[in-house]
């Protein structure tokens, strides 16, 4: 099995936009620098939080190249490459530009709701189409289908370049089952900020975080404390952010974290339709929490 290098704090990087709706590359560069200066261990780009379905092919290529250049090899970069048409994903893997990319994050096929065997064959075909490490992404709340623990473990055992899973089922029993039965070098990565403390305590190797866009230093410290078996200190940080976890998702993702970043002065609070900014009441609560946290 290939080595999993995606450990610790991964950032599910947003795509900032200007007031006229264009990609804001200056803000993107500032965000990348901010992440790397404050504890990010790897970046996850062009995935859900990056509003990738609403980006053009040209924009995605430019964003990828911009981030690769800015990071300059300082941390690994994981890039979203998935879909519900297996052949189309294979074509992208075989013909796309993945220079500077250290692995791909591939989401479970959505909408057409395949069987567990269909999910297995989908990911096996994708793994065979690339030499890059593959991180599976199970997020049934978005895809409409849950990849069961036995399917994840089967893929981990059968495909040498499937190195990890971003597990966002919200089911800690399923997480435990994967960790108990997986190959030793296969990593389980939290896909849910609110469950990261619990998942790392169970044996997860890190998180691909939304809140980390805004608070990488604090969230990174929580994870490192857990890695060091300092659970009481880590739990204090986890409890400090409990209300913020829910606020960031109550009006959808990345609306919440973009509101938070806007309040911190990083970006304009702009999303692309069909996504819209958070409600005013949510924004006010986020602002109040920032003041309480002195951030």
């Amino acid at each position: 099995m290939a080595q999993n290098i995606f450990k610790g704090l991964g950032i599910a990087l947003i795509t900032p936009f200007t007031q006229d709706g264009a990609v804001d590359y200056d803000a993107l560069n500032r965000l990348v620098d901010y992440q790397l200066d404050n504890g990010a261990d790897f970046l996850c780009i062009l995935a859900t939080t990056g509003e990738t379905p609403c980006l053009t092919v040209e924009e995605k290529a430019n964003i990828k190249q911009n981030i690769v250049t800015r990071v300059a090899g300082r941390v690994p970069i994981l890039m979203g490459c998935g879909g519900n048409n297996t052949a189309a994903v294979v074509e992208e893997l075989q013909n796309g530009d993945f220079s500077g990319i250290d692995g791909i994050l591939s989401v479970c096929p959505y909408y057409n709701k395949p069987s567990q065997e269909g999910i297995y064959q989908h990911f096996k075909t994708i793994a065979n189409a690339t030499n890059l490490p593959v991180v599976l992404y199970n997020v049934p709340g978005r895809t409409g289908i849950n990849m069961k623990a036995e399917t994840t473990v089967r893929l981990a055992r059968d495909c040498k370049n499937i190195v990890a899973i971003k597990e966002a089922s919200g089911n800690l029993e399923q997480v435990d089952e994967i960790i108990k039965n997986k190959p030793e070098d296969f990593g389980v990565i939290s896909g849910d900020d609110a469950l990261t403390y619990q998942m790392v305590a169970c044996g997860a190797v890190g998180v691909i975080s939304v809140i980390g866009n805004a608070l990488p230093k604090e969230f990174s410290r929580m994870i490192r404390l857990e890695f060091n078996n300092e659970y009481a200190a880590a739990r204090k940080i986890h409890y400090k952010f409990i209300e913020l976890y829910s606020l960031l998702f109550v009006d959808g993702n990345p609306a919440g974290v973009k509101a938070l970043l806007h309040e911190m002065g990083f970006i304009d609070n702009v999303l692309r339709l069909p996504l819209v900014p958070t409600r005013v009441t949510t924004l006010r609560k986020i602002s109040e929490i920032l003041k309480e946290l002195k951030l």
Side-chain angles (χ1 to χ4, degrees), residues 27 32 98 129 180 220 281:
V32 169
F98 292 88
K180 176 185 175 183
S220 173
T281 52

Side-chain angles (χ1 to χ4, degrees), residues 138 146-150 153 167 169-181 188 195 198-199 202:
N138 184 39
N146 176 50
M147 180 161 62
K148 294 181 179 179
E150 54 263 38
V153 172
E167 177 58 51
S169 66
N171 184 338
L172 290 176
E173 290 184 9
Q174 179 162 296
V175 171
D176 274 340
E177 188 176 346
I178 296 169
I179 291 173
K180 176 185 175 183
N181 296 309
V188 175
L195 292 179
Q198 294 92 328
M199 287 183 63
C202 290

